[in-house]
């Protein structure tokens, strides 16, 4: 249960950061002329999406390894 709480809080934190960065990006694109800053935010959003995918894939691999260990009675 504790691992699930950590996973959920990590996912929610990353989603919150994505929403915040997208809001800031919208502000920069439509309210200012800071196009270089907007480009940097796009890079940050891209990295955050990549990190979210990497994190969920790693967690899925860890769970799969755990369940396969149980299936084959490998408790090492």
């Amino acid at each position: 249960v504790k691992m699930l709480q950590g996973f959920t809080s990590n996912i929610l934190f990353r989603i919150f950061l994505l929403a915040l960065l997208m809001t800031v990006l919208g502000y920069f694109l439509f309210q200012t002329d800071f196009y270089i800053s907007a480009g940097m935010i796009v890079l940050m959003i891209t990295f955050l999406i990549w990190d979210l995918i990497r994190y969920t894939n790693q967690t899925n691999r860890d769970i799969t390894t755990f369940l396969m260990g149980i299936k084959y009675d490998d408790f090492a």
Side-chain angles (χ1 to χ4, degrees), residues 11-62:
I11 294 294
L12 288 176
F13 177 70
R14 285 170 167 89
I15 290 172
F16 171 76
L17 281 178
L18 272 172
L20 180 67
L21 285 173
M22 287 184 200
T23 303
V24 172
L25 177 63
Y27 174 77
F28 279 158
L29 287 177
F30 299 115
Q31 300 294 326
T32 69
D33 292 328
F34 298 148
Y35 297 114
I36 294 176
S37 296
M40 296 300 287
I41 292 174
V42 167
L43 290 175
M44 291 168 57
I45 289 171
T46 303
F47 172 76
L48 202 53
I49 291 170
W50 171 81
D51 184 57
L52 179 62
I53 292 169
R54 184 194 58 78
Y55 178 71
T56 54
N57 284 339
Q58 181 61 47
T59 302
N60 288 339
R61 278 193 295 273
D62 291 345

